[in-house]
């Protein structure tokens, strides 16, 4: 069993000698320190480096998670933690904060800067100001959902990020913008610390930790489904369903996190005004984040108008019910990029976009997902009569936009040549092309590359399919529909879709722009690529029973 090293033993002895700990408290603290091997390693290292020199008890009960003084190397622990059986969690929290206090970050001039006591104090004060947030953090640390606090680099525009499960075993944790922890002073006019905003942000990010298992499973399922489709011997690989499920999982994750942020900030507000109306308390924060939930009533500015679909509890808190999660998906996750926002919409901008972020949530998640699809296609390297399968995606149905994806920085891997795809949200489907924009190696560093004339998509070997693709690439709708009609009159077309032309004419009214659903996967033959491509032609001729965006509301 691992034990405290000589340096940490010296800290325990000095803490007792100086009156910081009683013998009973020392015993409880030792047990808490040794309860987690990673925590013990971290505290052993802090003691060995002189960054931890003593423990003490906050006998005034002025804190909820304790505090760390970087200059003194002192960790103070709440006296209540020795009574309330949450000492393990509090010690874990303080170990992470003490570790964070000695990290560095790179400023806009590429100079390394050290975390200051001001930044540490603001982080701790934020947790200590909201009992709900403090309890959320202690539970997350106890369950290993939060294993580090770190700082974001200059290339990422976000209120904060959460590191979830990764294949290389990177610890889970929260990354914060340096400026958000710095007080604004005459000597540091760039500091943006705001206790209200950081409370909301931390509540949001910690909730990602609790969501991580479900989100990770959705990611693994996505990767497996993409791998399976990439090896199919079919002329068309339509990844719409896989992308919809993956982006939908992100939508639920973000919606739940946003609800947690609301509850953390509301609890902070209640500490000073415990009996006031909860929605009025949130309006009084004057924080733009609450506008995803409520807005001020113009007829009575003291009252709130609740955004459609949300149902608040009597105290103003919000439960993560299916209806509230779906509503937050609409009000938060679905906010548009500044490049596509319409009058009256609240845009959102995050990600790596240069010089400023431009991604909305769908395209932020979608960029990574498309990179995985491209990588899977490259690994599979399926050839149908010498040509690679065509990637097909219902871009509009998913909310994906080629310009936002390329501005976010799309990494096409070792083969960085442009990748053609079919956008099935158009009727007929429209060819598109993704470019490598993650760096300047192809001359398009985080920039959209408009393409007026696409190169010819490789021949499939099936004359009907090739005639159809030729028409699509020429943007000749009439010719494409002519090929479809001729195919649907043929014996093969009637086999795939009996009565196709008559049925299409009857059902196509007012549905020109809608995309048809893909046939169930079991209908796609693994050994007849021409038949599979013809299936897709039949799909594009049919109207969909409902608009694609409803599939996102889960």
């Amino acid at each position: 069993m691992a034990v405290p090293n000589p340096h940490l033993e010296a800290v325990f002895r000095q803490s007792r000698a100086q009156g910081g700990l009683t013998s009973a408290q020392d015993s409880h603290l030792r047990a808490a320190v040794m309860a987690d091997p990673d925590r013990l390693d971290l505290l052993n290292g802090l003691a060995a480096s002189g960054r931890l020199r003593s423990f003490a008890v906050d006998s005034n009960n002025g804190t909820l998670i304790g505090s760390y003084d970087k200059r003194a190397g002192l960790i103070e622990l709440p006296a209540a933690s020795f009574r309330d059986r949450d000492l393990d969690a509090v010690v874990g929290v303080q170990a992470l904060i003490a570790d964070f206090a000695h990290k560095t970050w790179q400023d806009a001039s590429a100079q390394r800067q050290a975390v200051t006591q001001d930044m540490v104090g603001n982080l701790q004060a934020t947790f200590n100001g909201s009992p709900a947030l403090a309890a959320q953090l202690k539970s997350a640390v106890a369950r290993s959902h939060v294993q580090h606090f770190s700082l974001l680099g200059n290339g990422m525009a976000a209120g904060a990020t959460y590191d979830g499960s990764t294949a290389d075993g990177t610890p889970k944790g929260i990354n914060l913008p340096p400026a958000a922890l710095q007080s604004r002073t005459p000597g540091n006019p760039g500091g943006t610390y705001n206790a209200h905003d950081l409370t909301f942000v931390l509540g949001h990010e910690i909730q990602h930790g609790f969501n991580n298992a479900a989100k990770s499973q959705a990611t693994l399922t996505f990767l497996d489904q993409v791998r399976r489709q990439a090896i199919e011997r079919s002329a068309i690989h339509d990844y719409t369903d896989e992308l919809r499920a993956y982006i939908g999982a992100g939508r639920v994750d973000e919606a739940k996190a946003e609800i947690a942020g609301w509850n953390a900030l509301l609890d902070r507000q209640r500490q000073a005004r415990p009996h006031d109306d909860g929605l009025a308390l949130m309006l009084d924060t004057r924080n733009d984040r609450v506008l995803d939930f409520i807005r001020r009533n113009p007829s009575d500015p003291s009252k709130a108008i609740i955004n459609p679909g949300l149902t608040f509890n009597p105290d103003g808190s919000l439960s993560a019910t299916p209806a509230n999660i779906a509503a937050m998906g609409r009000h938060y996750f679905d906010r548009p990029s500044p490049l596509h926002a319409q009058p009256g919409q609240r845009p959102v901008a995050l990600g790596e976009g240069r010089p400023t972020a431009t991604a909305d949530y769908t395209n932020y998640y979608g960029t990574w997902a498309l990179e995985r699809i491209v990588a899977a296609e490259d690994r599979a390297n399926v050839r149908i009569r010498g040509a690679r399968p065509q990637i097909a995606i219902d871009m509009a149905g998913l909310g994906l936009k080629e310009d936002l994806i390329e501005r976010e920085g799309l990494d096409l891997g070792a083969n960085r040549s442009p990748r053609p795809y079919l956008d099935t949200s158009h009727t007929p489907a429209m060819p598109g092309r993704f470019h490598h924009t993650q760096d300047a190696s192809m001359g398009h560093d985080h920039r959209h590359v408009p393409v007026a004339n696409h190169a010819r998509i490789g021949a499939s070997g099936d004359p009907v399919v090739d005639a159809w693709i030729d028409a699509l690439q020429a943007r000749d709708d009439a010719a494409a529909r002519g090929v479809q009609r001729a195919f649907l009159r043929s014996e093969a077309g009637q086999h795939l879709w009996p009565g196709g032309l008559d049925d299409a004419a009857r059902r196509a009214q007012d549905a020109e722009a809608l995309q048809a659903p893909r046939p169930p996967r079991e209908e796609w033959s693994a050994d007849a690529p021409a038949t599979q491509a013809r299936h897709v032609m039949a799909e594009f001729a049919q109207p969909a029973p409902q608009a694609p965006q409803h599939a996102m509301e889960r």
Side-chain angles (χ1 to χ4, degrees), residues 375-434:
E377 289 281 334
D378 285 350
R379 283 193 301 270
N381 196 29
V382 170
R383 299 282 171 171
I384 306 297
R385 295 183 175 89
R388 292 276 289 268
Q390 293 303 305
I391 294 173
I393 303 169
D394 175 8
M395 297 286 284
L398 297 173
L400 293 174
K401 294 179 171 59
E402 184 180 307
D403 65 322
L404 297 183
I405 290 165
E406 292 185 342
R407 284 187 172 96
E408 174 58 16
L410 183 65
D411 189 345
L412 295 182
N415 177 8
R416 298 181 175 185
S417 58
R419 305 302 173 92
Y421 69 95
L422 293 175
D423 180 359
T424 61
S425 59
H426 298 272
T427 304
M430 182 180 294
R433 194 166 289 262
F434 291 122

Side-chain angles (χ1 to χ4, degrees), residues 1 270 311 404 489:
M1 176 180 177
R270 287 216 171 277
T311 302
L404 297 183
R489 289 191 185 98

Side-chain angles (χ1 to χ4, degrees), residues 160-464:
T161 63
Y162 176 81
D163 296 328
S165 295
T166 53
D168 62 2
T170 301
K172 305 173 187 178
I174 296 170
N175 309 293
L176 296 161
L181 293 172
Q182 299 174 42
S183 302
R184 179 173 296 171
T185 65
N188 184 26
T192 63
Y193 173 67
N194 179 295
H196 290 144
D197 194 65
L198 193 59
T199 297
F200 193 110
V201 166
L202 287 168
H204 177 113
E205 297 302 331
I206 294 169
Q207 183 61 39
H208 280 311
F210 291 94
N211 300 344
N212 186 63
K215 179 68 188 317
S216 295
Q217 184 56 56
T219 301
L220 291 173
T221 299
F222 166 75
L223 294 173
D224 182 61
Q225 291 176 342
V226 165
R227 180 188 63 80
R228 290 173 182 271
Q229 181 162 191
I231 62 176
E232 286 188 0
R233 297 194 57 78
S234 54
I236 304 289
H237 287 174
D238 189 331
Y239 287 98
T240 299
D241 291 344
E242 291 84 352
L243 286 164
R244 180 179 288 116
Y246 173 74
I247 293 171
R251 196 170 190 266
V252 169
D253 181 21
E254 293 289 351
K256 288 181 177 180
E258 194 72 350
I259 290 170
W262 168 277
N263 291 332
L265 180 53
L266 174 65
D267 189 61
R268 182 184 185 91
Q269 289 293 89
R270 287 216 171 277
Q271 301 315 299
R273 296 158 58 185
H275 305 298
D276 285 15
D277 175 73
L279 302 189
L281 284 174
M282 294 297 274
L283 286 174
D284 288 349
T285 66
R286 301 185 181 279
N287 189 293
D288 284 351
R289 297 186 191 278
V290 306
L291 297 178
D292 291 327
F293 305 80
I294 58 176
R295 60 190 188 279
R296 205 174 287 277
N297 189 333
S299 303
D300 184 355
S302 66
K303 302 294 184 182
I305 296 176
I306 298 172
N307 287 348
L310 293 174
T311 302
F312 289 88
N313 299 319
D315 64 354
S317 63
L318 195 61
S319 299
T321 63
N324 284 337
I325 292 169
M328 285 315 305
R330 294 191 296 274
H331 298 307
Y332 178 65
F333 191 90
D334 292 349
R335 286 169 58 190
S337 161
L339 300 183
H340 295 276
Q342 300 300 308
Q345 291 184 313
R346 291 182 63 235
V348 62
L350 70 157
E352 296 181 6
R354 298 171 186 164
T356 58
T358 58
D360 56 28
Y361 272 101
T362 294
N363 288 278
Y364 175 73
Y365 284 110
T367 299
W368 182 89
L370 285 169
E371 290 171 347
R372 306 285 76 74
I373 289 171
V374 168
E377 289 281 334
D378 285 350
R379 283 193 301 270
N381 196 29
V382 170
R383 299 282 171 171
I384 306 297
R385 295 183 175 89
R388 292 276 289 268
Q390 293 303 305
I391 294 173
I393 303 169
D394 175 8
M395 297 286 284
L398 297 173
L400 293 174
K401 294 179 171 59
E402 184 180 307
D403 65 322
L404 297 183
I405 290 165
E406 292 185 342
R407 284 187 172 96
E408 174 58 16
L410 183 65
D411 189 345
L412 295 182
N415 177 8
R416 298 181 175 185
S417 58
R419 305 302 173 92
Y421 69 95
L422 293 175
D423 180 359
T424 61
S425 59
H426 298 272
T427 304
M430 182 180 294
R433 194 166 289 262
F434 291 122
H435 292 78
H436 179 89
T437 61
Q438 180 56 41
D439 50 45
S441 61
M442 300 298 289
H444 316 297
D445 189 2
H446 290 77
R447 289 194 296 113
H448 173 46
V449 188
V451 179
N453 297 308
H454 295 285
R456 171 70 171 88
I457 293 176
S460 70
D462 184 301
V464 177

